[in-house]
């Protein structure tokens, strides 16, 4: 992973987790979110005939299903330049409009930080 010096260690952790999920599962995207207690939830893209979910929406759903009340941050590792509006909306629904979404390339370099709002 390319080191991003200005990145907080906790944010670096969720980028690393997202990158690992993408690589381990051989999926287009990996994502991780951190809730208000510091717990992390990691997911990859879900691509079933009956269910299509991005990695970030899956990670948010896992957090909700596990009882998270809010999010501190989210990260997605993707080939895309940014997080989609749908992904940011899912983060916003749980974390609020100011929740940062770190967008990283497959090598772990954070290309952008966007707000969920």
């Amino acid at each position: 992973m390319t080191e991003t010096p200005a990145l907080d260690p906790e944010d670096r952790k969720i980028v690393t987790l997202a990158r690992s999920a993408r690589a381990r599962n051989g999926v287009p995207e990996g994502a991780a979110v951190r809730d208000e207690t510091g717990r992390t939830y990691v997911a990859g893209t879900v691509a079933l005939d009956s269910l299509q979910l991005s990695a970030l929406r899956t990670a948010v759903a896992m957090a909700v299903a596990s009882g998270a009340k809010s999010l501190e941050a989210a990260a997605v590792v993707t080939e895309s330049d940014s997080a989609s509006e749908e992904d940011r909306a899912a983060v916003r629904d749980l974390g609020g409009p100011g929740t940062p979404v770190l967008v990283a390339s497959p090598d772990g370099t954070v290309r952008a930080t966007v707000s969920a709002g």
Side-chain angles (χ1 to χ4, degrees):
M1 179 165 105
T2 303
E3 198 66 26
T4 307
L7 206 56
D8 173 90
E10 291 299 312
D11 289 344
R12 188 174 302 117
K13 176 183 172 183
I14 61 173
V15 170
T16 300
L17 290 169
R19 184 174 180 233
S20 296
R22 181 181 182 271
R24 179 179 55 252
N25 297 324
V27 291
E29 293 182 341
V33 298
R34 184 175 63 248
D35 74 9
E36 75 284 359
T37 68
R39 290 182 298 179
T40 56
Y41 307 88
V42 182
T45 307
V46 174
L48 300 172
D49 289 342
S50 62
L51 181 63
Q52 303 285 319
L53 287 174
S54 72
L56 194 48
R57 282 178 270 170
T58 303
V60 170
M62 291 174 66
V64 170
S66 297
K69 302 296 183 211
S70 183
L71 294 179
E72 291 182 345
V76 60
V77 173
T78 179
E79 296 281 351
S80 297
D81 291 332
S82 188
S84 72
E85 173 54 36
E86 294 87 356
D87 284 353
R88 288 184 290 118
V91 172
R92 182 174 58 244
D93 284 349
L94 187 56
T99 307
V101 179
L102 307 164
V103 181
S105 61
D107 72 355
T109 302
V110 175
R111 292 188 304 243
T113 301
V114 297
S115 73

